[in-house]
Amino acid sequence: MQWLGRHVDPEGVIKSSKLSLKFISSYASELEISPSSIPVITDAEAFSSEHFNLEIYRQNLQTQQLGKIILFAEVTPTTMNVLDGLMFEMPQEMGLIAIAVRQTQGKGRGPNAWLSPVGCALSTVLVSIPLRSQLGQRIPFVQHLMSLAAVEAVRSIPEYQDINLRVKWPNDIYYSDLMKIGGVLVNSTLMGETFYILIGCGFNVTNSNPTICINDLIAEYNKQHKTDLKPLRADCLIARTVTVLETLIHTFQDKGPNGVLPLYYKHWIHSGQQVRLGSAEGPKVSIVGLDDSGFLQVHQEGGEVVTVHPDGNSFDMLRNLILPKRR
C-alpha cells in the first residue's frame, strides 16, 4: 500500500498499454468498469467471492516470495493484462499474482483462444530471473516448470499421486495422453540483466466442459479404486502450483536442468513416443527427452540423437517437427 501511494497518479491510477487500474479503498456503483479500465479495491476486509476463498489460498501458499500479493477479479479479459503495467515497476519481492474466476479473452499459443469458464484455475504470476543464471540462460524451461508445477500440485497431495495428470511438451497439462486439461503461456521481457516473466496458467478443476476437469479424474479414480478422495478447489490448486513452481525454480537455479528433469520425465506423456519430421510422410523418429535448452531430442533410425523444433504452423506442436538448419 505504501508503494502504491508513491506510484499511482493523482487520480489513483496506474496505466499500461493494455489496461488502467484505478486503486480505491471501497467500491462505489458509479465507478467506470470496462475491459480497459478496472477499479481495484484495496480493503481486503471487504473481500468475498463465491469461487475464491482467500483463507484456503493462504493456507496452501508455502512460498518465500511468489504469489504473495493478489490482484483478484471475478471477470477479466485476461489475467496477463492485469499485471502488464506493474511488472517492471513493483519490487520483485512483493510476489505479484493475478487470479480470475473467468476470462473473456483467454489466450492460447499463437492465435488460439483459451476458453475460461467458471471452475477453471486461472492465474498469471510474475517471476524475475537473472539473465546470468542457470534458468536465465535457458528461458524455454520456464514453461516446462510451470506445467510440471500444475501436475505436481495435484499429484503431490497424499493419496492423489496416481491421478493421471501429465505434462505434454512444451506447455500443456493433459489427462493421460488423451485430452488437454490445461496449458501455460509465457511472456518474457529482458531488461538490463533481468528477465521479467509473466507466466499465465489455466487448468480445468471443477468444470467438466469444454473438455474434462481434474475433479472428473478424481471421481473416475474413486469409482475404479473404491476410494473416497475429495474433489479439489481452484484456489487451493493455484496456491499449490505457485508453491511447487518456486521450489522448481530454486532447484533449477541450483542444479540446472538435471535437477528437475527426473520429475518432469516421471509425469510426461512422450517416453518412447514416435513422431514424424516435417510432414505426415516424413521420417519416423522416437522422442528421447529434452536437450539443455528445453527443446525436444529425438532418435533417428540411423542412430543419431538430434534436437528438433516446432514448425511454427501446427496447432499441435508435436506435428511436423523440423530439424533446425545447420549453421
Side-chain angles (χ1 to χ4, degrees):
M1 293 303 296
Q2 289 168 352
W3 182 90
L4 279 173
R6 295 193 301 272
H7 288 81
V8 294
D9 71 12
E11 314 283 276
V13 174
I14 289 181
K15 280 193 172 76
S16 78
S17 59
K18 295 172 181 157
L19 195 62
S20 293
L21 299 175
K22 183 178 175 69
F23 290 86
I24 50 172
S25 58
S26 59
Y27 179 68
S29 55
E30 67 273 9
L31 279 167
E32 179 204 353
I33 303 179
S34 71
S36 58
S37 175
I38 298 178
V40 181
I41 298 153
T42 55
D43 177 12
E45 297 299 309
F47 176 77
S48 74
S49 168
E50 185 190 340
H51 302 287
F52 184 84
N53 183 309
L54 196 51
E55 229 9 76
I56 290 175
Y57 176 84
R58 284 181 173 150
Q59 285 164 10
N60 285 280
L61 187 75
Q62 306 291 319
T63 59
Q64 294 166 11
Q65 188 176 317
L66 296 187
K68 294 283 192 188
I69 292 189
I70 308 159
L71 282 169
F72 174 84
E74 291 285 341
V75 183
T76 186
T78 151
T79 53
M80 278 271 182
N81 289 1
V82 175
L83 298 188
D84 189 59
L86 299 169
M87 64 187 287
F88 306 122
E89 306 292 340
M90 258 195 167
Q92 292 306 301
E93 62 273 13
M94 287 196 189
L96 270 184
I97 187 170
I99 295 172
V101 172
R102 219 155 49 81
Q103 294 181 134
T104 55
Q105 297 167 22
K107 301 269 191 295
R109 199 179 65 85
N112 304 327
W114 172 254
L115 299 176
S116 312
V118 173
C120 199
L122 303 165
S123 65
T124 294
V125 64
L126 175 60
V127 177
S128 64
I129 302 289
L131 168 64
R132 298 178 196 283
S133 68
Q134 293 264 20
L135 191 52
Q137 295 296 303
R138 303 170 178 84
I139 286 299
F141 264 101
V142 171
Q143 60 192 338
H144 308 326
L145 297 186
M146 188 61 172
S147 44
L148 176 57
V151 170
E152 267 291 289
V154 175
R155 297 187 67 159
S156 61
I157 302 172
E159 297 182 40
Y160 288 74
Q161 65 274 8
D162 294 326
I163 299 298
N164 200 354
L165 206 56
R166 300 203 166 262
V167 289
K168 177 176 183 248
W169 183 89
N171 54 2
D172 286 338
I173 300 150
Y174 256 60
Y175 156 48
S176 182
D177 57 354
L178 300 171
M179 204 175 290
K180 182 168 174 172
I181 222 165
V184 172
L185 191 64
V186 174
N187 285 341
S188 59
T189 307
L190 181 62
M191 285 185 75
E193 292 282 296
T194 305
F195 277 106
Y196 294 86
I197 305 173
L198 291 177
I199 311 174
C201 184
F203 52 92
N204 302 335
V205 181
T206 66
N207 54 308
S208 297
N209 291 317
T211 55
I212 193 172
C213 69
I214 286 167
N215 283 349
D216 291 340
L217 307 192
I218 293 169
E220 185 57 35
Y221 182 87
N222 282 339
K223 210 159 76 180
Q224 284 181 8
H225 296 86
K226 308 283 188 290
T227 47
D228 188 27
L229 299 182
K230 299 285 178 283
L232 298 173
R233 298 174 53 104
D235 40 23
C236 161
L237 288 183
I238 292 171
R240 288 184 64 87
T241 299
V242 174
T243 301
V244 178
L245 176 67
E246 188 177 86
T247 303
L248 289 171
I249 289 173
H250 287 163
T251 303
F252 197 104
Q253 294 292 44
D254 187 31
K255 299 178 177 167
N258 291 337
V260 300
L261 280 175
L263 186 61
Y264 185 80
Y265 292 146
K266 180 181 167 188
H267 293 320
W268 86 330
I269 61 176
H270 304 298
S271 297
Q273 189 179 352
Q274 296 200 316
V275 289
R276 289 190 181 275
L277 294 186
S279 71
E281 288 76 47
K284 201 183 267 188
V285 294
S286 299
I287 297 174
V288 291
L290 300 185
D291 72 4
D292 192 59
S293 302
F295 291 113
L296 271 189
Q297 285 189 314
V298 298
H299 188 263
Q300 291 180 303
E301 282 179 349
E304 198 186 0
V305 172
V306 292
T307 292
V308 291
H309 292 197
D311 69 349
N313 301 314
S314 307
F315 178 75
D316 181 341
M317 290 178 79
L318 282 170
R319 284 181 56 200
N320 306 337
L321 291 164
I322 50 175
L323 280 167
K325 289 191 175 70
R326 308 229 168 169
R327 288 202 178 92

